[in-house]
């Protein structure tokens, strides 16, 4: 929560609203005077400048608006924390290069321009961001060297809690942050200067009015004539107001000099907003505005106007910093539809980049995966040709390959691969959490099944057995029913709870909730109990070793979860009834190992076992009407978006009715 307000130092500067980003972020905004003085229309009358501006801003860029536009969210007044202006000023690096910086907040990413060849890049690039008290407020600043064709190399990053930064009681809005090495958070690779201030509400209103006035003020005298004022009313999309232009103009012209000044226009909009708002649609993006929702309208239009003073403004329209930092080879492949960044099911070009939502940091991140592997998986799992290969012996090849790779990763020679593995996943493996030093791992598999330091994964509400927790460090999908999972995620034609659990399936599981924990190779590969209870039994089911990557799970040509090798266990609990815990092997997974046995009583968060080298998955099936899964997990899953979670994070709360058995009153008993 913000403890104080800071007045924005440069109110007349250039900003972009998130919903208009897709249509504007790569289009140069020409001088509005040129637009005003450009040629006449076909009938000899001068076209409306505001209409032409709107048409220009609404032109589609190379991305469709559907791929990057965020779901419109109505913000409540109690959740509004302010509109922040963040500026990335400069950095000090340890070597010379051409640098760019990116900022990521929530599901938005922005980038600066590329600096000159230097070890002290200067950008002075800024962006205006909406802050919510309970929304994303941990911004990540990433610095990339730009000497690569296809992608730029991440050198350092820092994370800034904007709400905390803004609440500091200091005389300066500027602060210097250490840039951390992605491979090791304890190593500093540079420093970066950032300023951030929150806009005063009064200044917001003045800035908004200046934007409006500047668009229709053709002669730039700071005042609106009746013709200019009429253009403005037309752009607001209010038909009733358009019929009463002269009447409204006279109301605005309080001193009767025949023109409307900045102050008079601000007064008019403030008064009309209280009585009968005259703004029905945004003049820039054309979005229809809710007349009764003054707060969200103010936020929308404040961020949407992009006719600024020409200062450096960060380029937007990106989902992650990796996308924002991509080189021209990636842009070419995206233009040719060979690859794309998108949220949702993995098919076609959208399978090239896997985006997940980081629950703790409340932002999108891209899962790191070798591009050659992506292409091979698309060829195998998303085509009839690939399905034919599976039917003609490829399943056995995968099994043989996994066995050979498992043996290789158990050899002493495999330890040489550990540094390369860490470097490849340098932004997604935190070595500071690992229990033992790197030199203690004698084989690659020893490192792969590494343990973490005590306390590295705190368990939510550890004393409450009616609260379930996440079973693994993973990408999670959660559904209230199998039908929801099939609609949003699992596209195999034969998926069912009966097929997944085999003879362990009971009637209560058939319509129960389903939670999928997908472990990628870079993850901590030990899995834990999501609930407290007693292990009733195990059932090992032989099968294939398909990959559990979303490219395969989203494919209609194979049935990953019901055909792969897996072990089903049943946990009997007090608060959730019976819970089915399914450990599923995958390509390169040599074995599934358990540290508990039948009859053991376990507590949630206890270690249950581990997977050897490769990606793998755990699925938990709950009895019908036994758990209320956390809303944020269900919401992301409904968007076909995996949520990045850690062991011990809250998963859901028991809603199963407890048996209330009354004890007899011993005083009333007689023999």
């Amino acid at each position: 929560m913000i403890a104080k307000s800071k007045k924005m130092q440069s109110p007349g500067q250039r900003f972009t609203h998130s919903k208009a980003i897709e249509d504007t972020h790569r289009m140069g905004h020409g001088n509005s005077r040129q637009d005003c003085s450009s040629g006449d229309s076909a009938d000899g009358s001068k076209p409306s400048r505001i209409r032409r501006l709107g048409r220009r801003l609404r032109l589609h860029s190379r991305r469709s608006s559907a791929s990057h536009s965020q779901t419109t969210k109505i913000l409540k007044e109690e959740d509004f924390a302010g509109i922040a202006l963040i500026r990335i000023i400069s950095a000090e690096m340890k070597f010379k290069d051409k640098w760019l910086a990116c900022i990521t907040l929530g599901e938005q990413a922005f980038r600066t321009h590329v600096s000159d060849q230097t070890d002290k890049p200067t950008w002075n690039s800024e962006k205006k961001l909406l802050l919510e008290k309970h929304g994303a407020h941990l911004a990540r600043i990433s610095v990339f060297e730009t000497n690569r064709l296809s992608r730029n190399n991440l050198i350092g990053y820092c994370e800034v809690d904007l709400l905390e930064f803004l609440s500091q009681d200091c005389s300066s809005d500027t602060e210097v942050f250490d840039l951390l090495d992605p491979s090791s958070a304890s190593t500093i690779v540079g420093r970066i200067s950032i300023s951030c201030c929150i806009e005063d509400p009064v200044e917001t209103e003045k800035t908004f009015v200046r934007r409006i006035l500047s668009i229709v003020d053709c002669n730039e005298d700071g005042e609106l004539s009746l013709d200019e004022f009429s253009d403005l009313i037309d752009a607001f999309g209010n038909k009733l107001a358009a019929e009463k232009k002269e009447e409204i103009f006279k109301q605005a012209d309080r001193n009767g000099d025949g023109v409307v000044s900045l102050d008079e226009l601000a007064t008019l909009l403030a008064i009309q907003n209280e009585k009968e708002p005259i703004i029905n649609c945004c003049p820039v993006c054309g979005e229809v505005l809710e007349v009764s929702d003054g707060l969200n309208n103010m936020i929308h239009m404040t961020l949407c106007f992009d006719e600024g003073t020409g200062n450096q403004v960060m380029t937007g329209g990106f989902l992650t910093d990796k996308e924002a930092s991509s080189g021209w080879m990636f842009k070419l492949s995206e233009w040719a539809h060979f690859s794309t960044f998108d949220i949702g099911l993995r098919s076609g070009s959208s399978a090239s980049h896997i985006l997940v939502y980081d629950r703790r940091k409340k932002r999108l991140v891209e899962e790191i995966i070798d591009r050659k592997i992506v292409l091979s998986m698309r060829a195998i799992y998303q085509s009839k040709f690939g399905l034919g290969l599976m039917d003609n012996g490829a399943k056995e090849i995968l099994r043989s390959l996994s066995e050979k790779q498992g043996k290789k990763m158990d050899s002493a020679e495999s330890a040489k691969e550990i540094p390369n593995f860490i470097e490849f996943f340098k932004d997604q493996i935190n070595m500071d959490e690992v229990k033992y030093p790197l030199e203690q791992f004698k084989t690659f598999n020893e490192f792969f099944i590494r343990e973490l330091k005590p306390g590295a994964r705190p368990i939510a509400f550890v004393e409450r057995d009616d609260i379930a927790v996440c079973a693994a460090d993973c990408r999670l999908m959660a559904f209230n029913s199998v039908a929801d999972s099939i609609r949003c995620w699992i596209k195999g034609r034969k998926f069912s709870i009966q097929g997944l659990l085999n003879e362990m399936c009971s009637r209560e599981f058939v319509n129960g909730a389903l939670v999928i924990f997908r472990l990628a190779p870079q993850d901590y590969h030990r899995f834990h109990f999501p609930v407290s209870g007693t292990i009733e039994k195990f059932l090992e089911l032989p099968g294939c070793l398909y990959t559990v990557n979303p490219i395969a799970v989203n494919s209609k040509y194979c049935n990953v979860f019901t055909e792969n090798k897996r072990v089903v266990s049943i946990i009997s609990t007090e608060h959730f009834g019976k819970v089915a815990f399914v450990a599923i092997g995958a390509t390169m997974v040599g074995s599934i190992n358990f540290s508990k046995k039948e009859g053991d009583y376990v507590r949630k968060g206890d270690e249950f076992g581990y997977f050897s080298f490769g990606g793998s998955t755990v699925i938990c099936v709950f009895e019908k009407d036994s758990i209320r899964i956390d809303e944020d997990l269900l919401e992301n899953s409904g968007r076909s978006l995996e949520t990045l979670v850690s062991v011990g994070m809250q998963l859901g709360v028991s809603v199963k009715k407890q048996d209330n058995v009354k004890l007899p009153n011993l005083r009333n008993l007689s023999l």
Side-chain angles (χ1 to χ4, degrees), residues 236-525:
F236 286 160
N238 190 321
K239 293 182 180 179
L240 183 61
E243 295 172 358
K244 301 187 296 182
K245 295 176 186 175
E246 292 190 21
E247 179 183 338
I248 298 174
F249 182 79
K250 290 178 181 178
Q251 291 178 15
D253 183 16
R254 300 175 71 85
N255 61 7
D257 61 355
V259 292
V260 175
S261 66
L262 171 67
D263 291 336
E264 288 173 333
L265 181 58
T267 302
L268 171 71
L269 294 177
I271 293 174
Q272 287 296 127
N273 188 55
E274 295 296 327
K275 295 169 29 181
E276 183 183 347
I278 61 175
I279 304 177
N280 282 11
C281 74
C282 177
V284 178
C285 69
E287 179 174 323
V288 176
L289 304 176
E290 183 66 40
V291 174
S292 61
D293 194 351
L295 172 64
N296 283 283
N297 293 348
M298 181 274 292
I299 293 171
H300 174 105
M301 289 186 289
T302 299
L303 298 180
C304 202
F305 276 81
D306 197 25
E307 289 291 301
T309 60
N311 291 343
Q312 289 288 347
V313 177
M314 293 184 221
T315 303
F318 307 106
L319 293 175
T320 69
D321 56 359
K322 187 173 181 182
E323 180 192 13
S325 69
S326 298
W328 68 268
M329 284 291 287
F330 165 75
K331 294 178 174 64
L332 179 64
S333 69
E334 189 178 29
W335 173 82
H337 301 291
F338 294 130
S339 65
T340 184
F341 273 79
D342 206 354
I343 294 172
L345 297 175
R346 313 295 172 200
S347 60
S349 60
S350 68
S352 302
H353 303 276
I354 298 175
L355 303 183
V356 298
Y357 187 80
D358 188 323
R359 191 185 198 188
R360 183 173 66 86
K361 298 180 179 179
K362 295 183 179 180
R363 65 167 173 259
L364 289 174
V365 295
E366 182 182 356
E367 184 170 323
I368 299 175
I369 183 170
D370 189 276
R371 295 184 182 183
K372 296 187 291 295
I373 295 177
V374 170
L375 291 174
S376 62
M377 285 194 295
R378 284 169 64 180
I380 293 174
Y381 293 105
Q382 293 201 344
S383 67
K384 290 184 178 179
F385 173 75
L387 181 65
L389 288 177
M390 291 295 177
D391 291 336
N392 290 308
K395 293 179 183 179
E396 294 304 318
I397 294 175
L398 285 176
R399 181 185 297 279
S400 174
L401 179 63
S402 296
E403 290 175 354
K404 290 180 180 178
Q405 192 69 10
K407 291 178 181 178
K408 178 181 176 182
M409 293 304 168
D410 281 327
S411 67
E413 188 178 347
S414 66
K416 298 177 182 178
E417 299 297 325
I418 296 175
N420 295 334
F421 185 82
I422 295 173
E423 175 63 23
F424 185 76
F425 294 111
K426 63 182 179 181
D427 197 25
Q428 298 186 8
I429 296 179
N430 185 358
M431 292 301 298
D432 294 334
E433 296 178 334
V434 179
K435 186 174 182 179
Y436 301 109
L438 201 59
E439 57 271 14
Q440 191 161 328
F441 300 109
K442 304 306 180 185
T443 69
F444 185 87
N445 245 340
E446 285 186 11
F447 171 75
F448 192 79
I449 60 173
R450 59 194 176 274
E451 296 178 65
L452 301 182
K453 294 175 181 176
R457 295 293 182 269
I459 308 302
F461 302 99
V462 66
E463 299 301 326
R464 289 186 55 181
D465 289 343
D466 62 329
I467 295 179
V469 298
C470 296
D473 282 13
C474 64
R475 295 104 182 91
L476 179 147
M477 297 292 282
F479 305 98
N480 281 323
S481 67
V482 173
D484 289 344
S485 70
I486 292 173
R487 176 174 53 85
C488 299
W489 194 243
I490 304 171
K491 294 304 175 183
R493 290 168 292 181
K494 299 177 182 178
F495 179 76
S496 67
I497 294 296
Q498 294 92 330
L500 177 69
L501 303 182
N502 204 284
E503 65 189 61
M504 305 277 265
C505 182
S506 65
R507 180 171 52 85
E508 288 79 10
F509 286 135
V510 172
N511 295 311
L514 183 77
V515 184
I516 304 169
F517 305 90
R518 178 177 68 87
L519 289 74
Q522 61 268 38
D523 290 326
Y524 164 65
H525 255 65

Side-chain angles (χ1 to χ4, degrees), residues 6 23 172 178 229 274 278 431 450 524 563 582 589:
K6 295 184 179 181
D23 303 329
S172 175
D178 290 333
F229 187 82
E274 295 296 327
I278 61 175
M431 292 301 298
R450 59 194 176 274
Y524 164 65
E563 293 188 28
V582 187
V589 177

